[in-house]
Short mmCIF file of all heavy atoms in Angstrom, two decimals:
data_model
loop_
_atom_site.label_atom_id
_atom_site.label_comp_id
_atom_site.label_asym_id
_atom_site.label_seq_id
_atom_site.Cartn_x
_atom_site.Cartn_y
_atom_site.Cartn_z
N PRO A 30 -6.78 17.09 -2.74
CA PRO A 30 -8.02 16.28 -2.56
C PRO A 30 -8.04 15.10 -3.50
O PRO A 30 -8.61 14.04 -3.20
CB PRO A 30 -9.14 17.22 -2.78
CG PRO A 30 -8.54 18.36 -3.46
CD PRO A 30 -7.13 18.46 -3.03
N GLY A 31 -7.49 15.19 -4.67
CA GLY A 31 -7.42 14.13 -5.60
C GLY A 31 -6.67 12.94 -5.10
O GLY A 31 -6.99 11.83 -5.29
N HIS A 33 -6.20 12.41 -1.85
CA HIS A 33 -7.03 11.89 -0.77
C HIS A 33 -8.19 10.99 -1.27
O HIS A 33 -8.40 9.79 -0.76
CB HIS A 33 -7.70 12.96 0.07
CG HIS A 33 -6.67 13.95 0.62
ND1 HIS A 33 -7.00 15.25 0.99
CD2 HIS A 33 -5.29 13.79 0.95
CE1 HIS A 33 -5.81 15.80 1.42
NE2 HIS A 33 -4.84 14.94 1.43
N ALA A 34 -8.81 11.32 -2.38
CA ALA A 34 -9.95 10.59 -2.92
C ALA A 34 -9.42 9.27 -3.46
O ALA A 34 -10.12 8.26 -3.32
CB ALA A 34 -10.57 11.43 -4.03
N MET A 37 -8.77 6.91 -0.41
CA MET A 37 -9.87 6.43 0.29
C MET A 37 -10.77 5.64 -0.59
O MET A 37 -11.43 4.71 -0.23
CB MET A 37 -10.73 7.69 0.72
CG MET A 37 -10.05 8.53 1.80
SD MET A 37 -11.14 9.82 2.47
CE MET A 37 -12.29 8.75 3.37
N ILE A 59 -18.06 9.26 2.86
CA ILE A 59 -17.21 10.17 3.65
C ILE A 59 -16.09 10.88 2.74
O ILE A 59 -15.86 12.02 2.96
CB ILE A 59 -16.46 9.33 4.83
CG1 ILE A 59 -17.61 8.82 5.71
CG2 ILE A 59 -15.51 10.12 5.50
CD1 ILE A 59 -18.26 9.87 6.49
N SER A 60 -15.57 10.09 1.87
CA SER A 60 -14.56 10.64 0.96
C SER A 60 -15.15 11.78 0.09
O SER A 60 -14.49 12.79 -0.09
CB SER A 60 -14.01 9.54 -0.06
OG SER A 60 -13.21 10.11 -0.97
N ARG A 61 -16.38 11.62 -0.42
CA ARG A 61 -16.98 12.75 -1.17
C ARG A 61 -17.18 13.93 -0.28
O ARG A 61 -16.99 15.04 -0.74
CB ARG A 61 -18.35 12.29 -1.61
CG ARG A 61 -19.11 13.35 -2.46
CD ARG A 61 -20.41 12.86 -2.94
NE ARG A 61 -21.38 12.64 -1.88
CZ ARG A 61 -22.65 12.39 -2.06
NH1 ARG A 61 -23.17 12.25 -3.27
NH2 ARG A 61 -23.48 12.23 -1.06
N GLY A 62 -17.58 13.74 1.03
CA GLY A 62 -17.71 14.92 1.88
C GLY A 62 -16.46 15.71 2.10
O GLY A 62 -16.42 16.85 2.24
N LEU A 63 -15.34 14.86 2.24
CA LEU A 63 -14.09 15.49 2.52
C LEU A 63 -13.39 16.14 1.31
O LEU A 63 -12.60 17.07 1.46
CB LEU A 63 -13.11 14.42 3.10
CG LEU A 63 -13.55 13.97 4.52
CD1 LEU A 63 -12.55 12.82 4.96
CD2 LEU A 63 -13.45 15.08 5.59
N THR A 64 -13.52 15.55 0.12
CA THR A 64 -12.86 15.99 -1.12
C THR A 64 -13.62 16.61 -2.19
O THR A 64 -13.08 17.27 -3.05
CB THR A 64 -12.13 14.74 -1.69
OG1 THR A 64 -13.15 13.82 -2.15
CG2 THR A 64 -11.26 13.99 -0.76
N GLY A 65 -14.94 16.45 -2.16
CA GLY A 65 -15.81 16.85 -3.25
C GLY A 65 -15.72 16.06 -4.53
O GLY A 65 -16.15 16.45 -5.47
N ILE A 66 -15.08 14.90 -4.36
CA ILE A 66 -14.91 13.92 -5.45
C ILE A 66 -15.74 12.62 -5.17
O ILE A 66 -15.50 11.98 -4.03
CB ILE A 66 -13.40 13.59 -5.70
CG1 ILE A 66 -12.69 14.90 -6.01
CG2 ILE A 66 -13.23 12.56 -6.76
CD1 ILE A 66 -11.23 14.74 -5.93
N GLU A 67 -16.67 12.29 -6.03
CA GLU A 67 -17.40 11.09 -5.71
C GLU A 67 -17.03 9.93 -6.71
O GLU A 67 -17.10 9.87 -7.92
CB GLU A 67 -18.91 11.32 -6.14
CG GLU A 67 -19.69 10.21 -5.80
CD GLU A 67 -21.22 10.54 -5.92
OE1 GLU A 67 -21.64 11.60 -5.87
OE2 GLU A 67 -22.06 9.53 -6.00
N HIS A 82 -7.25 19.15 -9.08
CA HIS A 82 -8.31 19.99 -8.45
C HIS A 82 -9.44 19.12 -8.06
O HIS A 82 -9.71 18.93 -6.83
CB HIS A 82 -8.81 21.10 -9.48
CG HIS A 82 -7.68 22.00 -9.87
ND1 HIS A 82 -6.99 22.82 -9.08
CD2 HIS A 82 -7.04 22.14 -11.08
CE1 HIS A 82 -6.07 23.44 -9.65
NE2 HIS A 82 -6.02 23.06 -10.96
N GLY A 83 -10.22 18.55 -8.88
CA GLY A 83 -11.09 17.41 -8.63
C GLY A 83 -12.49 17.65 -8.21
O GLY A 83 -13.39 16.88 -8.32
N PHE A 84 -12.70 18.87 -7.70
CA PHE A 84 -14.08 19.20 -7.18
C PHE A 84 -15.12 18.94 -8.25
O PHE A 84 -15.06 19.40 -9.40
CB PHE A 84 -14.19 20.65 -6.69
CG PHE A 84 -15.31 20.96 -5.81
CD1 PHE A 84 -15.18 20.68 -4.45
CD2 PHE A 84 -16.52 21.38 -6.33
CE1 PHE A 84 -16.19 20.92 -3.55
CE2 PHE A 84 -17.64 21.54 -5.36
CZ PHE A 84 -17.47 21.40 -4.02
N GLY A 85 -16.20 18.18 -7.91
CA GLY A 85 -17.25 17.91 -8.86
C GLY A 85 -17.05 16.70 -9.67
O GLY A 85 -17.95 16.33 -10.58
#
Side-chain angles (χ1 to χ4, degrees):
H33 303 153
M37 293 187 73
I59 295 297
S60 174
R61 181 180 66 172
L63 293 174
T64 66
I66 299 168
E67 180 175 346
H82 302 295
F84 199 85

